[in-house]
Amino acid sequence: MTQHPTAATRRPANRGPKAAAGNRAALISAAREIYASQGLDAPLSTIARRAGVGQAVLYRHFPDRDAIAAAVLEENVRQIERAAAEGSALAEVLGVLTWHLARSAAFISLLHADEASGHPRHTRAFARDMHDRVEHALRECLPDGHRLGGPDDLMLAVSMVSGAVGGPTHAQREHRALAAWGLLGVTVGPVRPLRD
Amino acid sequence: MTQHPTAATRRPANRGPKAAAGNRAALISAAREIYASQGLDAPLSTIARRAGVGQAVLYRHFPDRDAIAAAVLEENVRQIERAAAEGSALAEVLGVLTWHLARSAAFISLLHADEASGHPRHTRAFARDMHDRVEHALRECLPDGHRLGGPDDLMLAVSMVSGAVGGPTHAQREHRALAAWGLLGVTVGPVRPLRD
């Protein structure tokens, strides 16, 4: 099996479609880590370096700053969709969601699409689309009679937990998120990204 | 009894310490309304006009933009403290808190002091102080055995509700806040400011 590069491993540039997919995945993973520690204004060169690729490779995949940020958020949402599609219990999917919430302020604001009215129309449309996809994924695995079963309750709860996520470290942010889910009486599984 | 000027009434400039206190109250009330509809960048001249005073009067009370914003937030917190000190039930005090949450994005970020780490030190100290005063006031009227009785639960719940408050109108923001309190199983009294 091909070993996928992770953000932690420096790797030489290589060729071919498999390598291109690997580079793209490494760039997204690196961008997620860099954004979490340095914010969305972090230099793109830092992301390329962390992914172990040259800047030319980065620009081949992502023409500008917005493109790579959108790709990170798209990947967050896709992980939640995949977890739901695999038939995971709601608690497992909320664990994946919470992992991303604790790592991405951008993901949090995305799930507050209603409040993003100061943003340009295409940003709001993007946020609304992501918001709806997360809601759809969670609803797929919502058991009958769950306490978040009301029409707006699922995403209301997500925005409440998002609002509570604070603190300088991942650990503190995760801790706050789990305390918030607990106050809502909602069980959350292990807080972790979805593994391939 | 002296009739206090409200933001809605235009009033001629007048003299003396009573009038000065009245002007100050009218400016704070006008600023709260203007901030809620136009944001914190609204021109100070708009605030003075709404309060029915000249700009010179505004500057006599508030030397700069930050001073009047701080006075609005101080007044929000003081209303919550007064409601608690008057022996109101927790639900009543949460009604006053929710009224202010639905009207002030600045008040919401104030109650997220932990996340304000991008702000200068004196802003964070101000936010932390306000946060602690709100917590203290709420705790004063927290009944034994209340479901927010855990050490961090009160302000965790406030930050969760703050996070859920969204939408373009006061009515929608209030509706979201009340739905959030409902999801937490917390009873909230009438959503209104504290009357003199």
Side-chain angles (χ1 to χ4, degrees), chain A residues 1-188:
Chain A
M1 229 185 124
T2 315
Q3 198 186 337
H4 278 266
T6 68
T9 53
R10 297 287 185 98
R11 45 197 295 288
N14 49 19
R15 310 259 176 267
K18 258 196 186 158
N23 283 341
R24 192 174 189 283
L27 282 162
I28 291 176
S29 171
R32 176 181 293 121
E33 289 176 36
I34 300 285
Y35 289 155
S37 57
Q38 300 179 29
L40 284 171
D41 294 330
L44 295 181
S45 57
T46 312
I47 294 172
R49 205 159 44 239
R50 173 75 65 100
V53 304
Q55 287 206 63
V57 174
L58 187 153
Y59 286 114
R60 203 179 308 142
H61 288 282
F62 304 106
D64 59 31
R65 191 172 279 285
D66 286 355
I68 189 158
V72 170
L73 295 169
E74 168 69 33
E75 174 61 22
N76 292 353
V77 173
R78 203 172 287 169
Q79 283 204 8
I80 293 161
E81 288 178 328
R82 271 178 43 216
E86 284 170 6
S88 308
L90 180 65
E92 309 291 317
V93 183
L94 291 178
V96 175
L97 171 79
T98 301
W99 189 86
H100 289 293
L101 280 182
R103 270 154 195 83
S104 170
F107 188 52
I108 289 180
S109 28
L110 205 64
L111 299 179
H112 283 78
D114 287 342
E115 291 172 72
S117 48
H119 295 134
R121 182 193 291 264
H122 70 275
T123 307
R124 277 180 289 148
F126 176 78
R128 169 53 60 191
D129 179 54
M130 294 286 184
H131 177 281
D132 291 351
R133 284 170 58 191
V134 170
E135 176 159 26
H136 182 80
L138 295 178
R139 202 166 290 286
E140 267 186 274
C141 47
L142 189 72
D144 283 345
H146 191 276
R147 73 178 310 272
L148 300 181
D152 297 322
D153 289 353
L154 258 176
M155 294 309 279
L156 179 61
V158 168
S159 70
M160 291 170 74
V161 174
S162 303
V165 170
T169 68
H170 291 166
Q172 281 168 286
R173 294 162 65 85
E174 260 184 47
H175 176 82
R176 290 269 299 176
L178 289 175
W181 286 119
L183 214 50
L184 285 166
V186 172
T187 306
V188 174

Side-chain angles (χ1 to χ4, degrees), chain B residues 68-195:
Chain B
I68 188 157
V72 170
L73 296 168
E74 169 69 32
E75 175 60 21
N76 294 352
V77 172
R78 204 173 287 168
Q79 283 204 8
I80 293 161
E81 289 178 327
R82 270 179 42 216
E86 285 169 6
S88 308
L90 180 65
E92 310 290 318
V93 183
L94 291 178
V96 174
L97 172 78
T98 300
W99 190 86
H100 289 292
L101 280 183
R103 270 152 196 84
S104 171
F107 188 52
I108 289 180
S109 29
L110 204 64
L111 298 179
H112 284 79
D114 286 343
E115 292 172 70
S117 47
H119 294 134
R121 182 191 290 264
H122 71 275
T123 307
R124 276 180 289 149
F126 176 78
R128 170 54 59 193
D129 179 53
M130 294 285 185
H131 177 280
D132 291 351
R133 283 169 58 191
V134 171
E135 176 160 25
H136 182 79
L138 295 178
R139 202 166 291 286
E140 266 186 273
C141 46
L142 188 73
D144 281 346
H146 191 277
R147 72 178 311 271
L148 299 182
D152 298 322
D153 289 353
L154 258 176
M155 294 309 280
L156 180 61
V158 168
S159 69
M160 291 170 74
V161 174
S162 304
V165 171
T169 68
H170 291 166
Q172 281 169 287
R173 294 162 64 85
E174 259 184 48
H175 176 82
R176 290 267 300 174
L178 289 175
W181 286 118
L183 214 50
L184 285 167
V186 172
T187 307
V188 174
V191 177
R192 55 175 182 73
L194 196 69
R195 304 286 173 205

